[in-house]
Amino acid sequence: MNILVINCGSSSIKYQLFCIEKKIALASGIAEKIGDESSRIIHHKSNKTFTKSINLPDYFKAIENIAELLTDSEWGVLESKKNVHAIGHRVVHGGEEFKSSVIINKYVLNRIKFYSKLAPLHNPPAYNGIKATMHIFPHIKQVAVFDTAFHQTMPEEAFMYGLPYRLYKKYCIRRYGFHGTSHRYVAQAAAEMLKKPVQKLKLITCHLGNGCSITAVKYGKSVDTSMGFTPLEGLIMGTRCGDVDPALVSFISEKEKISAEEVTNLMNRKSGLLGLSGISNDMRDLLEKANKGDKRAKLALDVFIYRVKKYIGAYLAAMNGADAVILTAGIGENVGIIKKRLAKEMNAFLGRRTKLLSIHTEEERLIALDTFELVKK
Ligand code: AMP
């Protein structure tokens, strides 16, 4: 069975075509700068890359072109569109309603649109992408895999804010958590590496990429996670500040003479590693500068690592210990110095029982597997 995985961002669509039986990705790529004159598709097939510069005014045109590439005589891997047997979509927000992946019908599609109120930047592109794929691949089943779903097992004590309860009831204000597919994938992969069922393990999974979050996974279930109502809460990230005193919103607004919305924008786009260093949101740039003695780059690194360590400590307390801490995503998988520093610092408070592992996250693969499980029934 061939499963196409689609991940729609605000101006891009990532795609991967999986063959379930062979357990491999046959092709993958990204349609970028959708809506811009310089839009293009970068397509990969067996370690070869093809860039197609083409005007992609909207998601519909982008998906139409992706379908053409997948069936292209030279760059394609399929004879016809009919060889795509199901489609899995990454959807960021499923509210409190979607606790696992689901087959998309009219109701589900409407609810994805409804939850745009909680994820205004992320759910609308997913909604538009699903509508386009339904049109272009009309007769096959489509599945939604939600970033928030894995965290729906969090207990109330972890997901409630200390705000008036009526705000939870009125506006659904609570902690949701994100990156759920990645945390679920690496928790399962860690269990395989440790040769124990995930239901018998206490794991702390650290997704450290441009966006960063940590999850306490107790016996296979998320019991706490660092991102909250939005992905702004928690760790220091590429451009997001993570946890700050909420009183700072009005303070900065008054001092800088900017609106609350502009402060939120500053906290989302101009803070984190970028804001602290004044150099870049990219860890590679910061490592290079820190090596050359740049103090602000070093400061950004120190604050980043300290926050990770603090959350690991919190989740050790939440679960009464952990069997392993897992590092994943761009920074977690690649930056040896961060792993080394965490290992050193953690040794002091963890002892040798808790392992520190780096595991490559493959969210798309898990989306393909979820899709397969649902459509084969
Ligand atoms: P992601 O969001 O998972 O793509 O991760 C992006 C982050 O990972 C950026 O800060 C990159 O600088 C960092 N990153 C990716 N690859 C490497 C690498 N080989 N060495 C250092 N940092 C990396």
Side-chain angles (χ1 to χ4, degrees):
M1 187 181 275
N2 296 323
I3 292 179
L4 179 60
V5 173
I6 298 276
N7 179 354
C8 291
S10 56
S11 63
S12 70
I13 300 178
K14 288 189 201 150
Y15 61 94
Q16 263 196 56
L17 183 74
F18 283 93
C19 172
I20 292 290
E21 292 76 16
K22 292 186 190 157
K23 297 186 176 172
I24 53 165
L26 302 170
S28 64
I30 180 167
E32 307 185 306
K33 302 192 180 177
I34 298 168
D36 191 278
E37 276 175 10
S38 56
S39 55
R40 58 186 185 171
I41 301 182
I42 302 170
H43 178 81
H44 310 283
K45 174 191 166 184
S46 16
N47 294 330
K48 287 188 192 139
T49 299
F50 168 63
T51 303
K52 182 177 179 181
S53 293
I54 177 165
N55 185 25
L56 303 171
D58 51 36
Y59 286 81
F60 189 89
K61 267 278 167 227
I63 289 174
E64 207 171 50
N65 273 277
I66 290 169
E68 274 173 28
L69 268 174
L70 291 172
T71 52
D72 182 80
S73 57
E74 188 183 351
W75 286 98
V77 286
L78 302 172
E79 257 178 38
S80 90
K81 271 187 342 187
K82 289 199 176 117
N83 297 110
V84 175
H85 302 114
I87 299 182
H89 293 269
R90 176 191 177 210
V91 181
V92 165
H93 222 301
E96 288 188 320
E97 182 173 356
F98 295 106
K99 300 184 191 317
S100 58
S101 305
V102 286
I103 291 185
I104 300 172
N105 55 24
K106 227 174 171 180
Y107 172 80
V108 172
L109 190 60
N110 277 333
R111 297 306 282 174
I112 289 170
K113 191 174 180 190
F114 174 80
Y115 289 116
S116 295
K117 66 175 187 173
L118 298 178
L121 300 178
H122 295 100
N123 271 32
Y127 174 80
N128 290 330
I130 294 167
K131 283 199 82 160
T133 46
M134 281 178 145
H135 201 85
I136 293 160
F137 297 87
H139 301 300
I140 61 172
K141 286 188 176 150
Q142 318 232 1
V143 166
V145 179
F146 300 92
D147 267 21
T148 48
F150 183 56
H151 302 301
Q152 278 299 306
T153 46
M154 278 195 287
E156 269 180 333
E157 66 198 40
F159 77 66
M160 286 302 292
Y161 288 115
L163 289 166
Y165 190 77
R166 67 175 183 86
L167 297 179
Y168 166 57
K169 283 295 177 202
K170 201 167 173 189
Y171 305 113
C172 308
I173 295 176
R174 50 157 284 177
R175 309 183 62 256
Y176 290 95
F178 300 87
H179 290 145
T181 316
S182 176
H183 290 291
R184 181 159 60 103
Y185 180 87
V186 295
Q188 280 173 9
E192 279 168 32
M193 279 172 88
L194 297 169
K195 298 190 171 58
K196 267 194 173 178
V198 76
Q199 293 79 4
K200 293 205 165 156
L201 289 167
K202 292 190 268 189
L203 303 167
I204 298 173
T205 52
C206 312
H207 179 108
L208 309 178
N210 201 26
C212 300
S213 65
I214 299 198
T215 297
V217 186
K218 191 175 183 184
Y219 308 140
K221 290 184 175 155
S222 167
V223 292
D224 203 350
T225 192
S226 59
M227 283 178 167
F229 180 67
T230 75
L232 186 56
E233 191 177 334
L235 300 176
I236 303 286
M237 313 183 206
T239 60
R240 295 187 194 124
C241 58
D243 297 338
V244 291
D245 183 338
L248 280 172
V249 176
S250 63
F251 186 86
I252 295 172
S253 164
E254 194 192 317
K255 295 288 175 200
E256 291 274 297
K257 301 195 172 32
I258 57 178
S259 67
E261 197 183 339
E262 285 167 315
V263 177
T264 307
N265 193 42
L266 174 145
M267 290 178 164
N268 267 299
R269 295 179 200 271
K270 295 179 187 161
S271 303
L273 294 176
L274 172 68
L276 279 164
S277 68
I279 298 166
S280 168
N281 63 323
D282 194 300
M283 186 54 85
R284 283 166 286 206
D285 297 339
L286 297 186
L287 290 169
E288 196 189 317
K289 291 276 182 185
N291 267 339
K292 288 181 183 154
D294 188 293
K295 285 206 173 107
R296 293 262 301 276
K298 190 176 169 304
L299 172 72
L301 282 173
D302 289 345
V303 179
F304 179 89
I305 295 173
Y306 179 71
R307 184 75 58 88
V308 173
K309 177 182 155 180
K310 210 157 98 166
Y311 263 95
I312 291 172
Y315 291 165
L316 282 170
M319 297 193 290
N320 288 328
D323 297 288
V325 173
I326 294 115
L327 304 178
T328 191
I331 297 172
E333 291 169 31
N334 296 302
V335 186
I337 181 82
I338 290 195
K339 190 174 177 188
K340 255 191 215 156
R341 269 185 61 181
L342 274 177
K344 197 171 149 207
E345 302 217 10
M346 279 167 39
N347 247 345
F349 68 95
L350 275 177
R352 299 200 189 283
R353 243 198 79 242
T354 305
K355 296 191 169 61
L356 183 64
L357 310 169
S358 290
I359 297 182
H360 175 51
T361 187
E362 290 189 88
E363 292 163 273
E364 284 83 5
R365 190 174 289 274
L366 193 51
I367 293 173
L369 288 173
D370 272 14
T371 304
F372 173 67
E373 287 302 323
L374 282 167
V375 300
K376 78 174 183 193
K377 282 178 190 162

